[in-house]
């Protein structure tokens, strides 16, 4: 039985490594002037893509926060993408969860290097009260040809 488990583990491990070797992963940094977020996600040039974000605190803002975002590309071109989706987040400073609907504009300004994008985002949010957050950021897609 342990041989069967070992073989199954090795097959699953090989499948994961194969997928990761061919995957395109994005990394980014976003800021709204108060909070900075570090992000990692899936290929943003697919119709559906996702991203996870963590707050990068400093001396004044030492609180933990995390968000998971799912996006749908409504318009895609070589120069820019427009997407919208759903955001779920947890924030230590207000002891609660937030739900939002981010609208994202990604501009790819370098014609021979489309892996780099400048991001602008507006997110209406709700956590007991309505709010609006605007982010500006940079994103790079690793593995993009």
């Amino acid at each position: 039985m342990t041989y069967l488990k070992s073989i199954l583990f090795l097959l699953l491990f090989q499948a994961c490594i194969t997928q990761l070797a061919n995957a395109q992963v994005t990394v980014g940094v976003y800021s709204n002037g108060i909070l900075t977020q570090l992000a990692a996600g899936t290929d943003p040039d697919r119709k559906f893509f996702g991203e996870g974000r963590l707050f990068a605190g400093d001396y004044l803002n030492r609180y933990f926060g995390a968000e998971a975002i799912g996006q749908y590309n409504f318009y895609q071109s070589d120069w820019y993408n427009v997407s919208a989706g759903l955001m779920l987040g947890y924030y230590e400073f207000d002891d609660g969860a937030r739900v939002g609907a981010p609208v994202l504009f990604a501009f790819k300004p370098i014609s021979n290097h489309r892996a780099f994008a400048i991001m602008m985002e507006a997110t209406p949010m709700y956590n007991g009260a309505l709010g609006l957050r605007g982010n500006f950021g940079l994103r790079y897609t690793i593995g993009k040809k």
Side-chain angles (χ1 to χ4, degrees):
M1 189 65 163
T2 59
Y3 291 115
L4 183 59
K5 288 181 183 178
S6 298
I7 291 172
L8 181 59
F9 174 76
L10 289 174
L11 288 173
L12 287 173
F13 183 73
Q14 175 63 34
C16 289
I17 294 297
T18 303
Q19 288 298 318
L20 288 174
N22 297 324
Q24 292 183 358
V25 177
T26 61
V27 291
V29 61
Y30 302 90
S31 180
N32 62 11
I34 298 170
L35 300 172
T36 300
Q37 299 170 322
L38 302 175
T42 62
D43 183 4
D45 285 328
R46 292 188 175 192
K47 251 334 187 185
F48 292 97
F49 65 98
E51 187 172 62
R53 296 181 185 176
L54 294 175
F55 285 110
D58 60 11
Y59 182 74
L60 296 175
N61 177 24
R62 301 181 209 174
Y63 301 106
F64 173 76
E67 294 178 350
I69 299 171
Q71 295 276 96
Y72 176 79
N73 272 317
F74 287 102
Y75 183 80
Q76 294 175 269
S77 76
D78 286 342
W79 288 98
Y80 63 93
N81 293 352
V82 177
S83 61
L86 179 66
M87 179 271 295
L88 301 172
Y90 170 78
Y91 304 93
E92 186 179 51
F93 56 84
D94 64 3
D95 290 325
R98 289 187 183 179
V99 177
V103 177
L104 187 99
F105 176 75
F107 175 62
K108 301 176 252 182
I110 304 171
S111 63
N112 60 350
H113 197 69
R114 297 290 185 204
F116 175 74
I118 298 171
M119 316 294 296
M120 289 179 281
E121 176 186 88
T123 305
M125 296 186 299
Y126 180 77
N127 69 336
L130 290 174
L132 180 65
R133 176 181 71 194
N135 277 341
F136 177 79
L138 303 173
R139 179 173 69 196
Y140 188 81
T141 304
I142 300 168
K144 190 174 188 90
K145 295 177 175 51

